Amino acid sequence: MTAGFRDLADWTHTSPKQLVALHLTKSPNTERGYREDLGAFTAWMGNRTADQAVRELLESGRAAAKRLLVSWVNRMRSDKLSASTIRRRAASIRSLISTAGDPDIEIIGWQIGRLPNLPPAARVRDCTGPGRDDVMRMFVACRQRDDAIGRRNEAILSLLYYHALRAAEVLSIRLQDVDMDEPAIRICAKRGAGRMSLRLCQRTAAAVDRWLKDRGDDEERDAPLFSRCARWGGKALPQPLSYWGLLAMVRDVGETAGIRCWPHALRHAAITHVSARTHGSPAWGMALSRHRDVRAWMGYQDVQVSHVSAAEILSRDQIVSSEPDSADN
């Protein structure tokens, strides 16, 4: 193929159907989102299939393709769709175009570039989570049960809060992933990064150890660490805990402690609290959260600094204290 800019699409080596399949080869959640976004674009184009919409888009050339996307964004804005939905859909189609322009595929020799009419991104999520005292009351509620379910719940809360694990990461832990000699666990990390090892803090290690004694040994080391604690005829049934079971458990414990809570809120709380206790240090915060991009970690900071404020500080030769306004945010 000819290197450099080439406006016309070349389907010699890759068909539209193959391009769509490659575009959708992502993690399950990303694939579901991309498929929905591509379906919305296909419906707007008036095509029967995504393959036809992709062919028409890429064969129109760079200028016409950009006009199409600008018109689509304008239509979504007139339909009063949220800014996040519009930006996500546009990013999905731009990703498809980027795939088509990949040097190893090179269906086209151009990229779409910046879309001038995208609505500004706005932070609408509250990333603070419950306060430290609220979380501690949840731990107390688990200990007050003084049974296997209470000890299981305390171990789960310890992983969700002290280690800021995601719900899927907690549920991915198998018996063979637990090493109490270290102590450490292995989790199935986000974005297909495979299993990674994490050392446990003392409180979490103690909570997991107490739960293991209640759970008992399982002949199948591939069995999940956390089960439902179901019993039938006086015999324990080691049924795996589902996400919905985990969600219901955290909500119930939160209600007992007098707060509204869900699994990911504990991760938010953990990152917010460690940031407050380390003067907003990204080194500590990103080590706990395992964020790859510092911008994701910055979403948990409650201190917003304007450009002019920074300029005033510099011009006045002032020293700014790194102490946060409050310990629990």
Side-chain angles (χ1 to χ4, degrees):
M1 293 185 183
T2 305
F5 182 83
R6 188 187 62 257
D7 204 30
L8 300 179
D10 184 348
W11 304 104
T12 304
H13 301 285
T14 306
S15 68
K17 185 174 183 179
Q18 290 173 324
L19 176 62
V20 170
L22 182 62
H23 174 63
L24 296 177
T25 305
K26 301 290 189 298
S27 65
N29 288 340
T30 304
E31 178 187 349
R32 182 169 60 252
Y34 274 19
R35 194 178 295 278
E36 292 175 357
D37 298 337
L38 187 56
F41 179 71
T42 301
W44 177 79
M45 289 278 288
N47 297 110
R48 289 177 297 176
T49 66
D51 303 348
Q52 294 175 345
V54 169
R55 178 184 286 275
E56 183 177 339
L57 174 69
L58 297 183
E59 288 184 349
S60 64
R62 182 180 184 274
K66 191 163 189 173
R67 286 195 296 269
L68 274 174
L69 290 185
V70 168
S71 299
W72 185 41
V73 169
N74 287 337
R75 176 58 185 271
M76 289 189 287
R77 297 189 72 164
S78 66
D79 289 342
K80 306 299 183 182
L81 296 184
S82 67
S84 59
T85 298
I86 296 173
R87 294 180 68 89
R88 190 200 68 237
R89 287 183 175 180
S92 176
I93 302 304
R94 289 176 65 183
S95 173
L96 184 145
I97 295 174
S98 178
T99 301
D102 187 279
D104 293 331
I105 300 174
E106 207 178 27
I107 296 172
I108 55 176
W110 48 269
Q111 294 296 331
I112 200 65
R114 175 180 170 272
L115 295 178
N117 59 334
L118 284 176
R123 178 186 167 189
V124 296
R125 295 175 59 197
D126 180 9
C127 294
T128 55
R132 170 86 177 183
D133 292 341
D134 296 330
V135 177
M136 292 302 104
R137 286 201 303 272
M138 293 179 68
F139 279 106
V140 171
C142 293
R143 298 187 190 106
Q144 287 177 342
R145 286 195 59 130
D146 194 25
D147 59 5
I149 294 179
R151 286 183 280 275
R152 180 204 64 183
N153 294 350
E154 183 182 1
I156 292 175
L157 291 187
S158 297
L159 291 168
L160 291 172
Y161 179 67
Y162 292 131
H163 295 272
L165 295 191
R166 302 173 178 90
E169 293 170 341
V170 171
L171 296 176
S172 73
I173 305 172
R174 305 163 298 185
L175 287 175
Q176 65 186 18
D177 295 325
V178 181
D179 180 6
M180 295 309 299
D181 295 330
E182 186 67 20
I185 57 171
R186 291 197 306 161
I187 63 171
C188 189
K190 189 179 178 182
R191 295 189 180 92
R195 291 201 171 264
M196 63 178 296
S197 180
L198 293 176
R199 293 196 62 182
L200 299 178
C201 67
Q202 293 182 2
R203 288 191 178 183
T204 303
V208 171
D209 187 54
R210 287 192 292 269
W211 160 241
L212 283 173
K213 292 176 181 177
D214 281 312
R215 189 190 189 285
D217 294 331
D218 198 309
E219 294 181 359
E220 297 183 7
R221 298 296 295 169
D222 196 42
L225 172 62
F226 296 108
S227 60
R228 290 178 50 197
C229 295
R231 305 186 72 85
W232 180 261
K235 183 179 180 181
L237 300 177
Q239 298 177 347
L241 182 67
S242 67
Y243 169 77
W244 300 110
L246 175 62
L247 175 62
M249 181 276 288
V250 174
R251 283 179 172 173
D252 290 344
V253 175
E255 289 179 2
T256 303
I259 64 169
R260 180 175 177 269
C261 192
W262 57 97
H264 210 69
L266 291 173
R267 173 176 166 83
H268 287 173
I271 301 170
T272 302
H273 298 167
V274 79
S275 176
R277 283 156 178 77
T278 57
H279 299 173
S281 167
W284 289 91
M286 293 184 69
L288 180 70
S289 66
R290 293 167 287 118
H291 283 132
R292 296 181 180 179
D293 193 330
V294 70
R295 290 175 296 182
W297 171 82
M298 284 297 295
Y300 294 86
Q301 307 309 303
D302 62 347
V303 179
Q304 301 297 324
V305 180
S306 66
H307 173 81
V308 67
S309 298
E312 289 288 356
I313 292 298
L314 185 61
S315 66
R316 298 174 185 177
D317 195 24
Q318 291 180 336
I319 303 297
V320 180
S321 172
S322 59
E323 290 288 344
D325 293 335
S326 60
D328 283 324
N329 295 315

